[in-house]
Amino acid sequence: MDRLDQRIQWEPLQNTVDPDNFTPRLLALLSNALVWRESNELRRRFGLGTNDWRVISVLALNPGFSATEVSEFIGVNKAVVSKSVNTLVGRDLIVLLDGPRGSRPMYLTTEGVQMHDDMLPISMRGQDIILAHLSPDEITSLNALLQRMLVDARELQILENETAASRAR
């Protein structure tokens, strides 16, 4: 055996996650499957993807949001939002205006409103898939639990960022 062979772990480790009962993995798999389904359908029907839909959806709720605000709202990198914004502006689905202090508020155009209305049922189908086997009370409980988990995850991320920043000093 050469030195490389001696360094390779050939057998599975004893202390690992149980993939069938590791909740973060199961949530990620479900999320990936739903996003893939949605993205595939949006691209096929409209030539737009899930990130484009997310920007349209946020602007339907929050007309005048900037790219930074959209990025924070949907929890993705601003570069992802900027790419979608460029696509949506190019398709005349949104417009960017000049705002105070150099901000660029964004708004749906009439065509953007129509695109939102056409895309919405595809997105809602993902929710139908998730909620199909739950009672109204279970849905309420699930949504409350997920919202609490998101708060906890954000707080943990802030704490970890602060810890990393203090170590860097």
Side-chain angles (χ1 to χ4, degrees):
M1 234 190 242
D2 66 18
R3 285 178 27 165
L4 177 60
D5 288 342
Q6 292 174 4
R7 294 180 35 228
I8 295 174
Q9 175 66 40
W10 297 100
E11 299 298 323
L13 298 179
Q14 295 300 310
N15 187 22
T16 63
V17 298
D18 173 359
D20 294 327
N21 292 297
F22 187 61
T23 306
R25 175 184 179 270
L26 297 174
L27 287 170
L29 289 174
L30 176 60
S31 176
N32 291 345
L34 292 171
V35 169
W36 182 89
R37 181 207 58 83
E38 178 181 82
S39 184
N40 192 45
E41 186 67 10
L42 293 174
R43 288 217 180 277
R44 185 181 69 75
R45 290 186 51 195
F46 306 110
L48 296 170
T50 296
N51 290 323
D52 305 320
W53 158 246
R54 290 173 178 165
V55 171
I56 289 171
S57 180
V58 170
L59 293 178
L61 287 168
N62 303 286
F65 257 24
S66 67
T68 299
E69 290 168 318
V70 170
S71 173
E72 290 169 0
F73 189 87
I74 61 177
V76 299
N77 186 291
K78 190 175 171 193
V80 171
V81 171
S82 293
K83 182 178 180 196
S84 287
V85 166
N86 288 335
T87 298
L88 298 172
V89 167
R91 297 263 307 257
D92 197 32
L93 299 172
I94 66 171
V95 294
L96 287 91
L97 303 178
D98 292 324
R101 297 176 303 282
S103 67
R104 299 293 309 257
M106 300 182 293
Y107 298 88
L108 295 175
T109 62
T110 303
E111 296 84 356
V113 170
Q114 184 61 54
M115 183 63 72
H116 170 270
D117 293 349
D118 292 344
M119 295 172 105
L120 182 61
I122 295 168
S123 186
M124 295 306 293
R125 178 70 182 117
Q127 173 151 307
D128 294 343
I129 292 167
I130 293 170
L131 304 181
H133 303 288
L134 301 175
S135 71
D137 286 344
E138 289 171 324
I139 293 168
T140 300
S141 295
L142 174 63
N143 287 339
L145 179 61
L146 290 171
Q147 289 170 3
R148 286 195 317 266
M149 289 178 184
L150 285 170
V151 168
D152 289 349
R154 287 184 191 116
E155 288 174 358
L156 180 59
Q157 185 177 22
I158 290 167
L159 179 62
E160 289 175 350
N161 288 343
E162 289 171 352
T163 302
S166 69
R167 287 184 186 149
R169 291 183 203 150

